[in-house]
């Protein structure tokens, strides 16, 4: 029964994993989380999704995507006030319906909300070092992230991004004559692996065709390196992802392939009858 439920919609599995990550962060890595902020994030986010479900007549299974967005915000975004998290949650959820091309949103909602908060809201920040840079944390984050991305059939763009980003970082280290330990320290960063396996791999906001993924991964990796090591902008990954989101509809139009669709219980049953039903 549990296996059937997990198989029917990858988002259920992703919610379980992200919830475990959040719990591990709180109890093992001692995240400085405000529980009121977490509660307000979920209340505002889920109510926003319910509003859009009734307003647009959406499938109720879209609530799963809203929960994932709220978990992403709770894992990464920090603020000194109580109003930032619920406001960002509402904007992040609503961005999926405000910014669309061909009825498909192109901003990763969690990343969009985080960038908006960092640019316009006072006393907000990310905690890129909260997962540490140890090899052990890097391995298990990569392992579970790899599992989710592979089940969502977007593991390729995660590895492509890491290939281009770490390749560029390795060449930079060689050019500057740094010790190899500096490279490994950056390569095992928890925030880098979280981004690669939980954010850029979002199947709804990444290109459909493999060539589109290669192009986008190369652009994001190059921009990330430029912002982080030449402009000294921290969290360059997320800025690069949002800044290049406009390319995704263009790439999907230029290099066409079958679009990704979430598969929920109803869709799963129908698809077994060889019918194509949109989620």
């Amino acid at each position: 029964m549990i296996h059937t439920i997990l198989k029917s919609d990858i988002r259920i599995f992703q919610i379980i994993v992200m919830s475990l990550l959040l719990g591990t962060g709180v109890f093992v890595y001692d995240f400085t989380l405000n529980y009121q902020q977490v509660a307000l994030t979920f209340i505002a986010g889920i109510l926003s999704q319910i509003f859009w479900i009734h307003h647009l007549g959406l499938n109720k299974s879209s609530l799963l995507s809203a929960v994932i967005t709220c978990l992403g915000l709770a894992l990464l975004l920090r603020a000194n006030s109580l109003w930032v998290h619920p406001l960002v949650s509402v904007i992040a959820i609503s961005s999926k319906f405000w910014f669309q091309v061909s009825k498909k949103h192109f901003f990763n909602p969690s990343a969009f909300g985080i960038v908006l908060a960092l640019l316009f809201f006072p006393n907000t920040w990310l905690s890129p070092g909260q997962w540490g840079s140890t090899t052990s944390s890097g391995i298990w984050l990569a392992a579970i992230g790899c599992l989710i991305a592979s089940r969502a059939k977007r593991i390729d763009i995660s590895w492509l991004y890491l290939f281009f980003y770490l390749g560029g970082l390795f060449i930079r280290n060689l050019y500057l004559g740094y010790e190899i330990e500096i490279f490994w320290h950056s390569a095992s960063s928890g925030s880098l692996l979280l981004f690669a396996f939980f954010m850029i791999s979002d199947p709804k906001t990444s290109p459909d065709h493999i060539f589109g993924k290669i192009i986008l991964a190369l652009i994001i990796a190059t921009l990330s390196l430029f912002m982080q090591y030449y402009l000294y902008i921290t969290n360059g990954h997320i800025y690069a992802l949002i800044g290049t989101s406009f390319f995704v509809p263009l790439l999907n139009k230029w290099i066409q392939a079958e679009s990704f669709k979430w598969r929920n219980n109803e869709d799963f049953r129908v698809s077994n009858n060889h019918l194509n039903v949109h989620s």
Side-chain angles (χ1 to χ4, degrees), residues 4-18:
T4 302
I5 293 174
L6 295 180
K7 187 178 178 181
S8 66
D9 196 321
I10 182 60
R11 289 175 294 182
I12 298 173
F13 181 66
Q14 187 172 354
I15 288 170
I16 293 172
V17 169
M18 292 180 75

Side-chain angles (χ1 to χ4, degrees), residues 78-100:
R78 300 290 176 267
N80 281 336
S81 58
L82 287 179
W83 61 269
V84 167
H85 277 79
L87 179 58
V88 169
S89 185
V90 170
I91 295 174
I93 296 294
S94 299
S95 72
K96 296 186 297 182
F97 311 103
W98 290 338
F99 307 107
Q100 293 188 349

Side-chain angles (χ1 to χ4, degrees), residues 233-278:
I233 298 174
T234 56
N235 311 311
H237 312 298
I238 296 181
Y239 287 114
L241 176 63
I242 292 301
T244 57
S245 296
F246 299 98
F247 290 116
V248 175
L250 297 176
L251 289 169
N252 284 336
K253 186 175 182 180
W254 180 37
I255 315 172
Q256 296 184 2
E258 185 181 1
S259 297
F260 178 88
K261 297 178 180 64
W262 293 117
R263 173 175 290 185
N264 56 33
N265 288 328
E266 182 178 354
D267 298 334
F268 183 67
R269 289 194 298 270
V270 174
S271 67
N272 282 340
N273 292 327
H274 307 290
L275 295 177
N276 185 20
V277 175
H278 292 196

Side-chain angles (χ1 to χ4, degrees), residues 15-29 31 33 38 42 70-76 78 130-131 140:
I15 288 170
I16 293 172
V17 169
M18 292 180 75
S19 300
L20 289 174
L21 282 176
L22 189 62
T24 303
V26 171
F27 296 110
V28 178
Y29 288 89
F31 284 6
L33 273 178
V38 175
F42 278 87
C70 293
L71 280 167
L73 293 174
L75 276 168
L76 295 171
R78 300 290 176 267
Q130 63 187 359
W131 291 98
W140 71 262

Side-chain angles (χ1 to χ4, degrees), residues 2-143:
I2 294 177
H3 176 73
T4 302
I5 293 174
L6 295 180
K7 187 178 178 181
S8 66
D9 196 321
I10 182 60
R11 289 175 294 182
I12 298 173
F13 181 66
Q14 187 172 354
I15 288 170
I16 293 172
V17 169
M18 292 180 75
S19 300
L20 289 174
L21 282 176
L22 189 62
T24 303
V26 171
F27 296 110
V28 178
Y29 288 89
D30 197 24
F31 284 6
T32 54
L33 273 178
N34 182 317
Y35 296 102
Q36 292 172 306
Q37 290 174 333
V38 175
L40 289 171
T41 299
F42 278 87
I43 292 171
I46 291 173
L47 287 178
S48 297
Q49 186 69 32
I50 291 174
F51 166 79
W52 287 109
I53 286 174
H54 286 284
H55 184 65
L56 299 176
L58 303 175
N59 192 316
K60 292 180 181 178
S61 69
S62 62
L63 278 171
L64 296 174
S65 298
V67 173
I68 291 172
T69 298
C70 293
L71 280 167
L73 293 174
L75 276 168
L76 295 171
L77 184 63
R78 300 290 176 267
N80 281 336
S81 58
L82 287 179
W83 61 269
V84 167
H85 277 79
L87 179 58
V88 169
S89 185
V90 170
I91 295 174
I93 296 294
S94 299
S95 72
K96 296 186 297 182
F97 311 103
W98 290 338
F99 307 107
Q100 293 188 349
V101 174
S102 301
K103 299 182 179 180
K104 182 178 179 182
H105 67 278
F106 52 89
F107 284 128
N108 178 294
S110 298
F112 181 80
I114 288 169
V115 168
L116 193 76
L118 294 177
L119 290 178
F120 298 107
F121 298 157
N123 301 316
T124 57
W125 70 96
L126 291 186
S127 297
Q130 63 187 359
W131 291 98
S133 297
T134 62
T135 303
S136 57
S137 63
I139 289 174
W140 71 262
L141 273 173

Side-chain angles (χ1 to χ4, degrees), residues 143-157:
I144 56 178
C146 185
L147 182 60
I148 289 179
S150 62
R151 294 194 62 178
K153 302 186 186 306
R154 285 299 192 270
I155 187 65
D156 40 13
I157 195 169

